[in-house]
Amino acid sequence: MAETKSRILYILKYLWHNTDAEHYATTGDILTYLKENGISCDRKTIPGDIAKLCDIGIDIEEERSRENRYSLSSHLFTLPEVKLLMDAVESSKFITAKKSSELANKLSQMTSVYQSEELKRNIYISERVKPMNEQIYYLVDNINTAINQGKQISFLYYHYNQYREEVPNNDGKRYHFSPYYLVWNEDHYYVVGFCEKHQRITTFRVDRMKSISILCSDAVPQPKDFNLPDFTRQVFDMYDGTKEKVTLLCKNELMNYIVDKFGDEVETSPTDNSHFKAVVEVSVSQTFFAWVFQFNGDIIITNPSAIVSRYREMLENALK
């Protein structure tokens, strides 16, 4: 019985790596592979083993002929899905170059050898800044463990000075923190939770954290009315303060940017053949002004006048 189970597993392994919807393996191919791995069996045994794999839900196609052919027609991921995941891994600024290569190689093993080669030929990765800190993965793992166990963590946090040297925050003292969520935003990982020092829910960038320890103390309970989507919009977008309605005059070709930033329900209306008006609700801050500035005059703040004055003042200060 043990030999039968081993044989069936070897057959599945062979089909996984060497067949797909376009590539089949003959009974002879399977027998040769089994023999190479010290397993001998009769040709008539193979159909029965294939049937057992099909009985447990493995999607194997059989093509009957003088010599039957078999293929694992559907893997765990489709080829486009694996390609999408590999592109995300390779292009992420959060994942180091070494780890990107390792993960891409593992993902390629989720397909047949033929599809794996196709993936490698088709991948193009733009030149992006990649981190050097391999410890990030262990930091994420520790934070995730603490979240699952409902425990606090302590850690050191740092920033860079003008000499690009690491300088510890909080006078070098450890932060005590109750982690609730890990959030990925614009190629950076953040942990969201309650900070003892600040006495409120806040975020820390994971790649700026060091020496994370999981504490015995239970995490401060998350407020029942805490809403993660609302919180992330406040922190990462332009909604981190009192909201105000602002009118923007935009060139027609920028409608996609307005919808992407403010959602499908944003209030817009045409003004002339080249422009439209958008009324948006934002926290008027440097973040908002910087977002407007990047469009080089193609988006103009027109109302309220106090906000227009603040924006003009910021531009004048930048030229001093």
Side-chain angles (χ1 to χ4, degrees):
M1 179 63 71
E3 183 179 348
T4 299
K5 290 181 179 179
S6 178
R7 183 179 69 242
I8 292 175
L9 289 174
Y10 270 98
I11 291 173
L12 176 58
K13 181 180 179 181
Y14 182 80
L15 294 177
W16 179 278
H17 289 295
N18 295 279
T19 70
D20 52 48
E22 298 178 354
H23 299 88
Y24 285 74
T26 65
T27 301
D29 293 332
I30 297 173
L31 288 172
T32 299
Y33 176 74
L34 292 175
K35 185 177 180 181
E36 290 173 351
N37 286 276
I39 300 173
S40 60
C41 69
D42 188 86
R43 178 178 294 269
K44 296 179 181 179
T45 305
I46 302 301
D49 290 341
I50 297 293
K52 289 184 176 67
L53 290 171
C54 292
D55 288 341
I56 62 171
I58 306 298
D59 188 11
I60 300 174
E61 289 191 8
E62 180 181 13
E63 188 179 274
R64 293 182 178 274
S65 61
R66 184 173 57 84
E67 184 176 24
N68 289 354
R69 303 197 312 160
Y70 306 95
S71 74
L72 189 64
S73 56
S74 61
H75 288 69
L76 183 60
F77 294 103
T78 66
L79 187 61
E81 288 172 338
V82 176
K83 176 67 165 64
L84 183 67
L85 291 171
M86 290 179 73
D87 286 346
V89 164
E90 291 279 11
S91 62
S92 172
K93 290 193 298 184
F94 176 79
I95 305 174
T96 64
K98 178 183 176 183
K99 197 65 175 180
S100 291
S101 178
E102 292 175 359
L103 291 174
N105 184 58
K106 290 179 180 179
L107 284 169
S108 70
Q109 295 176 28
M110 302 302 291
T111 65
S112 69
V113 291
Y114 307 102
Q115 292 176 331
S116 177
E117 287 303 313
E118 183 178 339
L119 284 168
K120 292 175 183 177
R121 286 197 304 270
N122 292 337
I123 283 182
Y124 167 75
I125 303 301
S126 60
E127 295 182 2
R128 303 189 66 179
V129 176
K130 302 287 274 183
M132 300 297 293
N133 185 8
E134 292 284 344
Q135 296 297 312
I136 290 174
Y137 315 106
Y138 304 106
L139 299 178
V140 170
D141 184 57
N142 281 342
I143 294 170
N144 193 59
T145 298
I147 292 172
N148 291 334
Q149 295 179 353
K151 297 297 182 181
Q152 294 186 29
I153 60 174
S154 71
F155 56 88
L156 299 173
Y157 200 65
Y158 70 92
H159 64 276
Y160 289 108
N161 64 12
Q162 67 270 36
Y163 305 107
R164 212 175 65 186
E165 299 169 332
E166 293 183 2
V167 179
N169 288 27
N170 197 29
D171 297 325
K173 299 175 184 175
R174 298 180 71 86
Y175 286 90
H176 286 73
F177 190 77
S178 298
Y180 299 148
Y181 301 98
L182 281 163
V183 175
W184 185 297
N185 182 74
E186 297 198 1
D187 271 334
H188 292 295
Y189 246 139
Y190 296 83
V191 58
V192 177
F194 183 83
C195 178
E196 294 285 346
K197 175 178 174 60
H198 300 124
Q199 284 296 297
R200 60 183 173 86
I201 295 177
T202 187
T203 63
F204 287 92
R205 249 179 67 172
V206 174
D207 58 322
R208 299 276 172 83
M209 302 167 72
K210 283 190 172 183
S211 305
I212 291 180
S213 297
I214 301 175
L215 306 178
C216 296
S217 306
D218 291 337
V220 174
Q222 178 181 313
K224 293 182 179 179
D225 60 349
F226 179 72
N227 184 291
L228 182 62
D230 287 345
F231 179 81
T232 54
R233 279 195 295 270
Q234 291 171 3
V235 172
F236 299 123
D237 294 332
M238 294 182 289
Y239 308 97
D240 54 353
T242 303
K243 294 181 180 180
E244 295 189 49
K245 280 196 173 183
V246 176
T247 302
L248 305 173
L249 181 65
C250 316
K251 284 195 172 181
N252 288 342
E253 57 267 28
L254 298 179
M255 180 63 82
N256 284 347
Y257 291 93
I258 294 297
V259 173
D260 288 345
K261 177 56 70 175
F262 301 104
D264 292 332
E265 298 181 0
V266 62
E267 180 185 339
T268 63
S269 59
T271 58
D272 56 42
N273 291 334
S274 302
H275 299 83
F276 66 92
K277 179 179 72 175
V279 179
V280 299
E281 213 172 28
V282 297
S283 170
V284 182
S285 61
Q286 289 186 346
T287 303
F288 169 64
F289 289 147
W291 181 82
V292 173
F293 179 77
Q294 70 178 311
F295 295 100
N296 194 30
D298 289 345
I299 292 180
I300 300 172
I301 304 171
T302 62
N303 197 53
S305 57
I307 305 305
V308 176
S309 297
R310 283 179 57 186
Y311 182 51
R312 184 178 291 114
E313 182 181 349
M314 187 195 77
L315 296 176
E316 291 173 351
N317 288 336
L319 295 174
K320 291 180 180 179

